[in-house]
Coordinates of all heavy atoms in Angstrom, one line a residue:
A35 N 17.7 18.6 -17.9 CA 17.1 17.3 -17.4 C 17.9 16.2 -17.8 O 18.5 16.2 -18.9 CB 15.6 17.2 -17.9
S36 N 18.0 15.1 -17.0 CA 18.7 14.0 -17.3 C 17.8 12.8 -17.7 O 16.5 13.0 -17.7 CB 19.6 13.5 -16.2 OG 18.8 13.4 -15.0
T37 N 18.3 11.7 -18.1 CA 17.5 10.6 -18.5 C 16.7 10.0 -17.4 O 17.2 9.8 -16.3 CB 18.4 9.5 -19.1 OG1 19.2 10.1 -20.2 CG2 17.6 8.3 -19.7
C38 N 15.4 9.7 -17.7 CA 14.5 9.0 -16.7 C 15.0 7.6 -16.5 O 15.4 6.9 -17.5 CB 13.1 9.0 -17.3 SG 12.4 10.5 -17.8
T39 N 15.1 7.2 -15.3 CA 15.6 5.9 -15.0 C 14.7 5.0 -14.2 O 14.9 3.8 -14.0 CB 17.0 6.0 -14.2 OG1 16.7 6.7 -13.0 CG2 18.0 6.6 -15.0
G40 N 13.6 5.6 -13.6 CA 12.7 4.8 -12.8 C 11.3 5.4 -12.9 O 10.9 5.9 -14.0
S41 N 10.5 5.2 -11.9 CA 9.1 5.7 -11.9 C 8.8 6.4 -10.6 O 9.4 6.2 -9.6 CB 8.2 4.5 -12.0 OG 8.4 3.8 -13.2
Y42 N 7.8 7.3 -10.7 CA 7.3 8.1 -9.6 C 5.8 7.8 -9.5 O 5.1 7.9 -10.5 CB 7.6 9.6 -9.8 CG 6.9 10.5 -8.8 CD1 7.5 10.6 -7.6 CD2 5.8 11.2 -9.2 CE1 6.9 11.5 -6.6 CE2 5.2 12.0 -8.2 CZ 5.7 12.1 -7.0 OH 5.1 13.0 -6.1
A43 N 5.3 7.5 -8.3 CA 3.9 7.3 -8.1 C 3.3 8.6 -7.8 O 3.4 9.1 -6.6 CB 3.7 6.3 -7.0
W44 N 2.6 9.3 -8.7 CA 2.0 10.6 -8.5 C 0.6 10.4 -8.0 O -0.3 9.9 -8.7 CB 2.0 11.3 -9.9 CG 1.5 12.8 -9.7 CD1 2.3 13.8 -9.2 CD2 0.2 13.3 -10.0 NE1 1.5 14.9 -9.2 CE2 0.3 14.7 -9.7 CE3 -0.9 12.8 -10.5 CZ2 -0.8 15.5 -9.9 CZ3 -2.0 13.6 -10.7 CH2 -1.9 15.0 -10.4
K45 N 0.4 10.7 -6.7 CA -0.9 10.5 -6.1 C -1.7 11.8 -6.2 O -1.3 12.8 -5.8 CB -0.7 10.1 -4.6 CG -1.9 9.8 -3.9 CD -1.5 9.3 -2.4 CE -2.8 9.0 -1.7 NZ -2.5 8.7 -0.3
F46 N -2.9 11.7 -6.8 CA -3.7 12.8 -6.9 C -5.0 12.8 -6.1 O -5.8 13.7 -6.2 CB -4.0 13.1 -8.4 CG -4.7 12.0 -9.2 CD1 -6.1 11.9 -9.3 CD2 -3.9 11.0 -9.7 CE1 -6.7 10.9 -10.0 CE2 -4.5 10.0 -10.4 CZ -5.9 9.9 -10.5
S47 N -5.2 11.8 -5.4 CA -6.3 11.7 -4.4 C -6.0 10.6 -3.4 O -5.0 9.9 -3.6 CB -7.7 11.4 -5.1 OG -7.8 10.1 -5.4
S48 N -6.9 10.4 -2.4 CA -6.6 9.3 -1.5 C -6.8 7.9 -2.0 O -6.3 7.0 -1.4 CB -7.5 9.5 -0.2 OG -8.8 9.4 -0.6
S49 N -7.4 7.9 -3.2 CA -7.7 6.5 -3.8 C -7.0 6.2 -5.1 O -7.0 5.1 -5.6 CB -9.2 6.4 -4.0 OG -9.9 6.5 -2.8
F50 N -6.4 7.3 -5.8 CA -5.9 7.1 -7.1 C -4.5 7.7 -7.3 O -4.2 8.7 -6.7 CB -6.9 7.7 -8.2 CG -8.3 7.1 -8.1 CD1 -9.3 7.8 -7.5 CD2 -8.5 5.9 -8.6 CE1 -10.6 7.3 -7.4 CE2 -9.8 5.3 -8.6 CZ -10.8 6.0 -8.0
F51 N -3.8 7.1 -8.2 CA -2.5 7.6 -8.6 C -2.1 7.2 -10.0 O -2.9 6.5 -10.7 CB -1.4 7.0 -7.6 CG -1.0 5.6 -8.0 CD1 0.2 5.3 -8.6 CD2 -1.8 4.5 -7.7 CE1 0.6 4.1 -8.9 CE2 -1.4 3.2 -8.0 CZ -0.2 3.0 -8.6
T52 N -1.0 7.6 -10.5 CA -0.5 7.2 -11.8 C 1.0 7.1 -11.7 O 1.6 7.7 -10.9 CB -0.9 8.1 -13.0 OG1 -0.6 7.4 -14.2 CG2 -0.3 9.4 -12.9
W53 N 1.6 6.2 -12.5 CA 3.0 6.1 -12.6 C 3.5 7.0 -13.6 O 3.0 7.1 -14.7 CB 3.4 4.6 -13.0 CG 3.3 3.6 -11.9 CD1 2.4 2.6 -11.9 CD2 4.1 3.5 -10.7 NE1 2.6 1.9 -10.7 CE2 3.6 2.4 -10.0 CE3 5.1 4.3 -10.2 CZ2 4.2 2.0 -8.8 CZ3 5.6 3.9 -9.0 CH2 5.2 2.8 -8.3
L54 N 4.6 7.7 -13.3 CA 5.3 8.6 -14.3 C 6.7 8.3 -14.4 O 7.4 7.9 -13.4 CB 5.2 10.1 -13.8 CG 3.8 10.7 -13.6 CD1 3.8 12.0 -13.0 CD2 3.1 10.7 -15.0
P55 N 7.3 8.4 -15.6 CA 8.8 8.2 -15.7 C 9.5 9.2 -14.8 O 9.0 10.4 -14.7 CB 9.0 8.5 -17.2 CG 7.8 8.1 -17.9 CD 6.7 8.6 -16.9
A56 N 10.5 8.9 -14.2 CA 11.2 9.8 -13.2 C 12.7 9.4 -13.2 O 13.2 8.4 -13.6 CB 10.6 9.7 -11.9
R57 N 13.4 10.3 -12.5 CA 14.8 10.1 -12.2 C 14.9 10.5 -10.7 O 14.8 11.7 -10.4 CB 15.8 10.9 -13.0 CG 17.2 10.6 -12.6 CD 18.2 11.3 -13.6 NE 19.6 10.9 -13.2 CZ 20.3 9.9 -13.6 NH1 19.7 9.1 -14.5 NH2 21.5 9.7 -13.2
G58 N 15.0 9.6 -9.8 CA 15.0 9.9 -8.4 C 13.7 10.4 -8.0 O 12.7 9.8 -8.3
D59 N 13.7 11.6 -7.4 CA 12.4 12.2 -6.9 C 11.9 13.3 -7.8 O 11.1 14.1 -7.5 CB 12.6 12.7 -5.5 CG 13.5 13.9 -5.4 OD1 14.2 14.2 -6.4 OD2 13.6 14.5 -4.3
T60 N 12.3 13.3 -9.1 CA 11.8 14.3 -10.0 C 11.3 13.6 -11.3 O 11.8 12.6 -11.8 CB 12.9 15.3 -10.4 OG1 12.3 16.3 -11.3 CG2 14.1 14.7 -11.1
T61 N 10.2 14.2 -11.8 CA 9.7 13.8 -13.1 C 10.2 14.6 -14.3 O 9.7 14.4 -15.4 CB 8.2 13.8 -13.1 OG1 7.7 15.1 -12.8 CG2 7.6 12.8 -12.0
I62 N 11.1 15.6 -14.0 CA 11.7 16.4 -15.0 C 12.9 15.6 -15.5 O 14.0 15.6 -14.9 CB 12.1 17.8 -14.6 CG1 10.8 18.5 -14.2 CG2 12.8 18.5 -15.7 CD1 11.0 19.9 -13.7
C63 N 12.7 14.8 -16.6 CA 13.7 13.9 -17.1 C 13.3 13.7 -18.6 O 12.2 14.0 -19.0 CB 13.9 12.7 -16.3 SG 12.4 11.7 -16.1
N64 N 14.2 13.1 -19.3 CA 14.0 12.9 -20.7 C 14.1 11.4 -21.1 O 14.8 10.6 -20.5 CB 15.1 13.6 -21.5 CG 15.0 15.1 -21.3 OD1 14.0 15.7 -21.2 ND2 16.2 15.7 -21.1
L65 N 13.4 11.1 -22.2 CA 13.6 9.7 -22.8 C 13.6 9.9 -24.3 O 13.0 10.8 -24.9 CB 12.4 8.8 -22.5 CG 12.3 8.4 -21.0 CD1 10.9 7.7 -20.8 CD2 13.4 7.4 -20.7
A66 N 14.4 9.1 -25.0 CA 14.5 9.2 -26.5 C 14.9 7.8 -27.0 O 15.3 6.9 -26.2 CB 15.6 10.2 -26.8
S67 N 15.0 7.7 -28.3 CA 15.4 6.5 -28.9 C 16.7 6.0 -28.4 O 17.6 6.8 -28.2 CB 15.5 6.6 -30.4 OG 14.3 6.9 -31.0
G68 N 16.8 4.7 -28.1 CA 18.0 4.1 -27.5 C 18.0 4.0 -26.0 O 18.7 3.2 -25.4
N69 N 17.0 4.7 -25.3 CA 16.9 4.5 -23.9 C 16.2 3.2 -23.6 O 15.4 2.7 -24.4 CB 16.1 5.6 -23.2 CG 16.8 6.9 -23.2 OD1 16.2 8.0 -23.5 ND2 18.1 6.9 -23.0
S70 N 16.4 2.6 -22.4 CA 15.7 1.4 -22.0 C 15.5 1.4 -20.5 O 16.1 2.2 -19.8 CB 16.5 0.2 -22.4 OG 17.7 0.2 -21.8
G71 N 14.6 0.6 -20.0 CA 14.3 0.5 -18.6 C 12.9 0.7 -18.2 O 12.0 0.8 -19.1
S72 N 12.6 0.7 -16.9 CA 11.3 0.8 -16.4 C 10.6 2.1 -16.8 O 9.4 2.2 -17.0 CB 11.3 0.6 -14.9 OG 12.0 1.6 -14.3
A73 N 11.4 3.2 -16.9 CA 10.8 4.5 -17.3 C 10.2 4.4 -18.7 O 9.1 4.9 -19.0 CB 11.8 5.6 -17.2
V74 N 10.9 3.8 -19.6 CA 10.4 3.6 -21.0 C 9.2 2.7 -20.9 O 8.2 3.0 -21.6 CB 11.5 3.0 -21.9 CG1 11.0 2.7 -23.2 CG2 12.7 3.9 -22.0
A75 N 9.2 1.7 -20.1 CA 8.0 0.8 -20.0 C 6.8 1.5 -19.5 O 5.7 1.3 -20.0 CB 8.3 -0.4 -19.1
R76 N 7.0 2.5 -18.6 CA 5.8 3.3 -18.1 C 5.3 4.1 -19.3 O 4.1 4.2 -19.4 CB 6.2 4.2 -17.0 CG 6.7 3.4 -15.7 CD 5.5 2.7 -15.0 NE 6.0 2.2 -13.8 CZ 5.4 1.3 -13.1 NH1 4.3 0.8 -13.5 NH2 5.9 0.8 -12.0
L77 N 6.2 4.7 -20.0 CA 5.7 5.5 -21.2 C 5.0 4.7 -22.2 O 3.9 5.0 -22.7 CB 6.9 6.2 -21.8 CG 6.6 7.0 -23.1 CD1 5.6 8.1 -22.9 CD2 7.9 7.6 -23.7
Q78 N 5.6 3.5 -22.5 CA 5.0 2.6 -23.5 C 3.6 2.2 -23.0 O 2.6 2.1 -23.8 CB 5.9 1.4 -23.7 CG 7.1 1.7 -24.5 CD 8.1 0.5 -24.5 OE1 8.2 -0.3 -23.5 NE2 8.8 0.4 -25.6
N79 N 3.5 1.8 -21.7 CA 2.2 1.4 -21.2 C 1.1 2.5 -21.4 O 0.0 2.3 -21.7 CB 2.3 1.1 -19.7 CG 1.1 0.5 -19.1 OD1 0.4 1.2 -18.4 ND2 0.8 -0.7 -19.3
T80 N 1.5 3.8 -21.2 CA 0.6 4.9 -21.4 C 0.2 5.0 -22.8 O -0.9 5.3 -23.1 CB 1.3 6.2 -20.9 OG1 1.5 6.1 -19.5 CG2 0.5 7.4 -21.2
L81 N 1.2 4.9 -23.7 CA 0.9 5.0 -25.1 C -0.1 3.9 -25.6 O -1.0 4.2 -26.4 CB 2.2 4.9 -26.0 CG 3.1 6.1 -25.7 CD1 4.5 5.8 -26.4 CD2 2.5 7.4 -26.2
V82 N 0.0 2.7 -25.0 CA -1.0 1.6 -25.3 C -2.3 1.9 -24.7 O -3.4 1.9 -25.4 CB -0.4 0.3 -24.8 CG1 -1.4 -0.8 -24.9 CG2 0.8 -0.1 -25.6
L83 N -2.4 2.2 -23.4 CA -3.6 2.3 -22.7 C -4.4 3.6 -23.0 O -5.6 3.6 -23.1 CB -3.4 2.1 -21.1 CG -2.9 0.8 -20.6 CD1 -2.7 0.9 -19.1 CD2 -3.9 -0.3 -21.0
C84 N -3.7 4.7 -23.0 CA -4.4 6.0 -23.2 C -4.4 6.5 -24.6 O -5.2 7.4 -24.9 CB -3.7 7.0 -22.3 SG -3.7 6.6 -20.5
Y85 N -3.6 6.0 -25.5 CA -3.6 6.5 -26.9 C -3.8 5.4 -27.9 O -3.7 5.7 -29.1 CB -2.3 7.2 -27.1 CG -2.2 8.5 -26.3 CD1 -1.6 8.5 -25.0 CD2 -2.8 9.7 -26.8 CE1 -1.6 9.6 -24.3 CE2 -2.8 10.8 -26.0 CZ -2.2 10.8 -24.7 OH -2.3 11.9 -24.0
G86 N -4.1 4.2 -27.5 CA -4.5 3.1 -28.4 C -3.4 2.7 -29.3 O -3.6 2.1 -30.4
Q87 N -2.1 2.9 -29.0 CA -1.0 2.6 -29.8 C -0.7 1.1 -29.7 O -0.8 0.5 -28.6 CB 0.3 3.4 -29.5 CG 0.1 4.9 -29.7 CD -0.1 5.1 -31.2 OE1 0.6 4.7 -32.1 NE2 -1.2 5.9 -31.5
H88 N -0.4 0.4 -30.8 CA -0.1 -1.0 -30.8 C 1.4 -1.2 -30.8 O 2.0 -1.5 -31.9 CB -0.8 -1.6 -32.0 CG -2.3 -1.4 -32.0 ND1 -3.1 -2.1 -31.2 CD2 -3.1 -0.6 -32.7 CE1 -4.4 -1.7 -31.4 NE2 -4.4 -0.8 -32.3
I89 N 2.0 -1.1 -29.6 CA 3.4 -1.4 -29.5 C 3.6 -2.4 -28.4 O 2.7 -2.5 -27.5 CB 4.2 -0.1 -29.2 CG1 3.7 0.6 -27.9 CG2 4.1 0.9 -30.4 CD1 4.5 1.8 -27.5
V90 N 4.7 -3.0 -28.4 CA 5.1 -3.9 -27.3 C 5.7 -3.1 -26.1 O 6.5 -2.2 -26.3 CB 6.2 -4.9 -27.8 CG1 6.6 -5.9 -26.7 CG2 5.6 -5.7 -29.0
V91 N 5.2 -3.4 -24.9 CA 5.7 -2.8 -23.7 C 6.9 -3.7 -23.3 O 6.8 -4.6 -22.5 CB 4.6 -2.7 -22.6 CG1 5.2 -2.1 -21.4 CG2 3.5 -1.9 -23.1
D92 N 8.1 -3.3 -23.8 CA 9.3 -4.1 -23.5 C 10.4 -3.3 -22.8 O 11.5 -3.8 -22.5 CB 9.8 -4.7 -24.8 CG 10.2 -3.7 -25.8 OD1 10.2 -2.5 -25.6 OD2 10.6 -4.1 -26.9
G93 N 10.2 -2.0 -22.6 CA 11.2 -1.2 -21.9 C 12.3 -0.7 -22.8 O 13.2 -0.1 -22.3
N94 N 12.1 -0.9 -24.1 CA 13.1 -0.4 -25.1 C 12.5 0.7 -26.0 O 11.6 0.4 -26.7 CB 13.6 -1.6 -25.9 CG 14.4 -2.6 -25.1 OD1 15.3 -2.2 -24.4 ND2 14.0 -3.8 -25.1
F95 N 13.1 1.8 -26.0 CA 12.7 3.0 -26.8 C 13.3 2.9 -28.1 O 14.3 3.4 -28.4 CB 13.1 4.3 -26.1 CG 12.3 5.5 -26.5 CD1 11.7 6.3 -25.6 CD2 12.2 5.8 -27.9 CE1 11.0 7.5 -26.0 CE2 11.5 6.9 -28.3 CZ 10.9 7.8 -27.4
G96 N 12.5 2.2 -29.0 CA 13.0 2.0 -30.4 C 12.1 2.8 -31.4 O 11.3 3.7 -31.0
R97 N 12.1 2.4 -32.6 CA 11.4 3.1 -33.7 C 9.9 3.1 -33.4 O 9.2 4.1 -33.6 CB 11.7 2.4 -35.0 CG 11.0 3.1 -36.2 CD 11.5 2.5 -37.5 NE 10.9 3.2 -38.7 CZ 9.7 3.1 -39.1 NH1 8.9 2.2 -38.6 NH2 9.3 3.8 -40.2
N98 N 9.3 2.0 -33.0 CA 7.9 1.9 -32.8 C 7.4 2.8 -31.7 O 6.4 3.4 -31.7 CB 7.4 0.4 -32.6 CG 7.6 -0.4 -33.9 OD1 7.6 0.2 -35.0 ND2 7.7 -1.7 -33.7
T99 N 8.2 2.8 -30.6 CA 7.9 3.7 -29.5 C 8.0 5.2 -29.9 O 7.1 6.0 -29.6 CB 8.8 3.4 -28.3 OG1 8.7 2.1 -27.9 CG2 8.5 4.4 -27.1
K100 N 9.0 5.5 -30.7 CA 9.1 6.9 -31.2 C 7.9 7.3 -32.0 O 7.3 8.3 -31.8 CB 10.4 7.0 -32.0 CG 10.7 8.5 -32.5 CD 12.0 8.6 -33.2 CE 12.4 10.0 -33.6 NZ 11.4 10.6 -34.5
L101 N 7.5 6.4 -32.9 CA 6.3 6.7 -33.8 C 5.1 6.8 -33.0 O 4.2 7.6 -33.2 CB 6.2 5.6 -34.9 CG 7.3 5.6 -35.9 CD1 7.2 4.3 -36.8 CD2 7.3 6.9 -36.7
A102 N 4.9 5.9 -32.0 CA 3.7 6.0 -31.1 C 3.7 7.2 -30.3 O 2.6 7.9 -30.1 CB 3.7 4.7 -30.2
L103 N 4.8 7.7 -29.8 CA 4.9 8.9 -29.0 C 4.6 10.1 -29.9 O 3.9 11.0 -29.5 CB 6.3 9.1 -28.4 CG 6.5 10.3 -27.5 CD1 5.4 10.4 -26.4 CD2 7.9 10.3 -26.9
E104 N 5.1 10.1 -31.2 CA 4.8 11.2 -32.1 C 3.3 11.3 -32.3 O 2.7 12.4 -32.4 CB 5.5 11.0 -33.4 CG 7.0 11.2 -33.4 CD 7.8 10.8 -34.6 OE1 7.1 10.2 -35.6 OE2 9.0 11.0 -34.7
A105 N 2.6 10.1 -32.5 CA 1.2 10.1 -32.7 C 0.5 10.7 -31.5 O -0.5 11.5 -31.6 CB 0.7 8.7 -33.0
A106 N 0.9 10.3 -30.3 CA 0.3 10.9 -29.0 C 0.5 12.4 -28.9 O -0.3 13.1 -28.5 CB 0.8 10.1 -27.8
Q107 N 1.7 12.8 -29.3 CA 2.0 14.2 -29.3 C 1.1 15.0 -30.2 O 0.7 16.1 -29.9 CB 3.5 14.5 -29.6 CG 4.4 14.0 -28.5 CD 5.9 14.0 -28.9 OE1 6.2 13.7 -30.1 NE2 6.8 14.4 -28.0
R108 N 0.8 14.4 -31.4 CA -0.1 15.1 -32.3 C -1.5 15.2 -31.7 O -2.1 16.2 -31.9 CB -0.1 14.4 -33.7 CG 1.1 14.6 -34.5 CD 1.0 14.1 -35.9 NE 0.9 12.7 -36.0 CZ 1.9 11.8 -36.0 NH1 3.2 12.3 -36.0 NH2 1.8 10.5 -36.1
V109 N -1.9 14.1 -31.1 CA -3.3 14.1 -30.4 C -3.3 15.3 -29.4 O -4.3 16.0 -29.3 CB -3.6 12.8 -29.8 CG1 -4.7 12.9 -28.8 CG2 -3.8 11.7 -30.8
E110 N -2.2 15.5 -28.7 CA -2.2 16.5 -27.7 C -1.8 17.9 -28.2 O -1.7 18.8 -27.4 CB -1.3 16.1 -26.5 CG -1.7 14.8 -25.8 CD -3.1 14.9 -25.2 OE1 -3.7 16.0 -25.0 OE2 -3.7 13.8 -25.0
K111 N -1.6 18.0 -29.5 CA -1.3 19.2 -30.2 C 0.0 19.9 -29.6 O 0.0 21.1 -29.4 CB -2.5 20.2 -30.1 CG -3.7 19.6 -30.9 CD -4.9 20.6 -30.7 CE -6.0 20.2 -31.6 NZ -6.6 18.9 -31.4
I112 N 1.0 19.1 -29.5 CA 2.3 19.6 -29.1 C 3.3 19.1 -30.2 O 3.0 18.3 -31.0 CB 2.8 19.1 -27.7 CG1 2.8 17.6 -27.6 CG2 1.9 19.7 -26.6 CD1 3.4 17.1 -26.3
E113 N 4.5 19.6 -30.1 CA 5.5 19.3 -31.1 C 5.7 17.7 -31.2 O 5.9 17.1 -30.1 CB 6.9 19.9 -30.8 CG 7.9 19.6 -31.8 CD 9.3 20.3 -31.6 OE1 9.4 21.0 -30.5 OE2 10.2 20.1 -32.4
D114 N 5.5 17.2 -32.4 CA 5.6 15.7 -32.5 C 7.0 15.3 -32.9 O 7.2 14.8 -34.0 CB 4.6 15.2 -33.5 CG 4.7 15.8 -34.9 OD1 5.4 16.8 -35.1 OD2 4.2 15.2 -35.9
D115 N 8.0 15.5 -32.0 CA 9.3 15.1 -32.3 C 9.7 13.7 -31.8 O 10.9 13.3 -32.0 CB 10.3 16.2 -31.6 CG 10.1 16.3 -30.1 OD1 9.3 15.5 -29.5 OD2 10.7 17.3 -29.6
G116 N 8.8 13.0 -31.1 CA 9.2 11.7 -30.7 C 10.1 11.7 -29.5 O 10.7 10.6 -29.2
L117 N 10.3 12.8 -28.8 CA 11.2 12.9 -27.7 C 10.3 13.1 -26.5 O 9.3 13.9 -26.5 CB 12.1 14.1 -27.8 CG 13.1 14.0 -29.0 CD1 13.9 15.3 -29.1 CD2 14.0 12.8 -28.9
Y118 N 10.6 12.5 -25.3 CA 9.9 12.6 -24.1 C 10.6 13.6 -23.2 O 11.8 13.4 -22.9 CB 9.7 11.3 -23.4 CG 9.0 11.4 -22.1 CD1 7.6 11.4 -22.0 CD2 9.8 11.5 -20.9 CE1 7.0 11.5 -20.8 CE2 9.1 11.6 -19.7 CZ 7.8 11.6 -19.6 OH 7.1 11.8 -18.4
G119 N 10.0 14.7 -22.8 CA 10.5 15.6 -21.9 C 9.4 16.3 -21.2 O 8.3 15.9 -21.1
F120 N 9.7 17.5 -20.6 CA 8.8 18.2 -19.7 C 7.4 18.5 -20.4 O 6.4 18.2 -19.8 CB 9.4 19.5 -19.1 CG 8.5 20.2 -18.2 CD1 8.3 19.7 -16.9 CD2 7.8 21.3 -18.7 CE1 7.4 20.4 -16.1 CE2 6.9 22.0 -17.8 CZ 6.7 21.5 -16.5
D121 N 7.5 19.1 -21.6 CA 6.2 19.5 -22.2 C 5.4 18.2 -22.6 O 4.1 18.2 -22.4 CB 6.5 20.3 -23.5 CG 7.0 21.7 -23.2 OD1 6.7 22.2 -22.1 OD2 7.6 22.3 -24.1
T122 N 6.0 17.2 -23.0 CA 5.3 15.9 -23.3 C 4.7 15.3 -22.1 O 3.6 14.9 -22.0 CB 6.2 14.9 -24.1 OG1 6.6 15.5 -25.3 CG2 5.5 13.6 -24.3
R123 N 5.5 15.3 -21.0 CA 5.0 14.7 -19.7 C 3.8 15.4 -19.2 O 2.8 14.8 -18.8 CB 6.1 14.8 -18.7 CG 5.9 13.8 -17.6 CD 5.5 14.0 -16.3 NE 5.6 15.1 -15.5 CZ 4.5 15.6 -14.9 NH1 3.3 15.1 -15.2 NH2 4.6 16.5 -14.0
R124 N 3.8 16.7 -19.2 CA 2.6 17.5 -18.7 C 1.4 17.5 -19.7 O 0.3 17.7 -19.3 CB 3.0 18.9 -18.3 CG 3.3 19.8 -19.4 CD 3.7 21.2 -18.9 NE 4.2 22.0 -20.0 CZ 3.5 23.0 -20.4 NH1 2.4 23.4 -19.9 NH2 4.0 23.7 -21.4
S125 N 1.6 17.1 -20.9 CA 0.6 17.1 -21.9 C -0.1 15.8 -22.1 O -1.3 15.7 -22.4 CB 1.1 17.6 -23.3 OG 1.6 18.9 -23.2
L126 N 0.6 14.7 -21.9 CA 0.0 13.4 -22.0 C -1.0 13.1 -20.9 O -0.9 13.6 -19.8 CB 1.1 12.3 -22.0 CG 2.1 12.2 -23.1 CD1 3.1 11.1 -22.9 CD2 1.4 12.1 -24.5
K127 N -1.9 12.2 -21.2 CA -2.8 11.6 -20.3 C -2.1 10.3 -19.8 O -1.5 9.6 -20.6 CB -4.1 11.3 -20.8 CG -4.9 12.6 -21.2 CD -6.2 12.3 -21.9 CE -6.9 13.6 -22.3 NZ -8.0 13.3 -23.2
W128 N -2.3 9.9 -18.5 CA -1.6 8.8 -17.9 C -2.7 7.8 -17.3 O -3.8 8.3 -16.9 CB -0.7 9.2 -16.8 CG 0.4 10.1 -17.4 CD1 0.4 11.4 -17.6 CD2 1.7 9.6 -17.9 NE1 1.5 11.8 -18.2 CE2 2.4 10.8 -18.4 CE3 2.3 8.4 -18.0 CZ2 3.6 10.7 -19.0 CZ3 3.5 8.3 -18.6 CH2 4.2 9.5 -19.0

Side-chain angles (χ1 to χ4, degrees):
S36 55
T37 303
C38 306
T39 57
S41 300
Y42 172 77
W44 188 78
K45 186 176 177 182
F46 57 93
S47 78
S48 61
S49 301
F50 301 103
F51 80 102
T52 191
W53 285 113
L54 299 173
R57 181 174 181 91
D59 65 352
T60 183
T61 60
I62 297 179
C63 55
N64 300 317
L65 291 170
S67 292
N69 291 142
S70 63
S72 62
V74 174
R76 296 290 186 198
L77 175 61
Q78 290 171 327
N79 185 258
T80 293
L81 296 171
V82 169
L83 295 177
C84 299
Y85 292 92
Q87 295 297 308
H88 301 286
I89 58 172
V90 176
V91 178
D92 62 2
N94 294 307
F95 197 128
R97 182 176 186 277
N98 291 337
T99 299
K100 182 178 187 296
L101 293 173
L103 181 56
E104 288 172 357
Q107 289 170 323
R108 284 190 295 276
V109 167
E110 298 304 339
K111 296 178 175 53
I112 59 173
E113 183 178 2
D114 61 342
D115 57 7
L117 301 173
Y118 176 86
F120 181 76
D121 288 338
T122 298
R123 205 252 334 127
R124 70 184 173 108
S125 298
L126 290 181
K127 293 177 185 167
W128 298 87

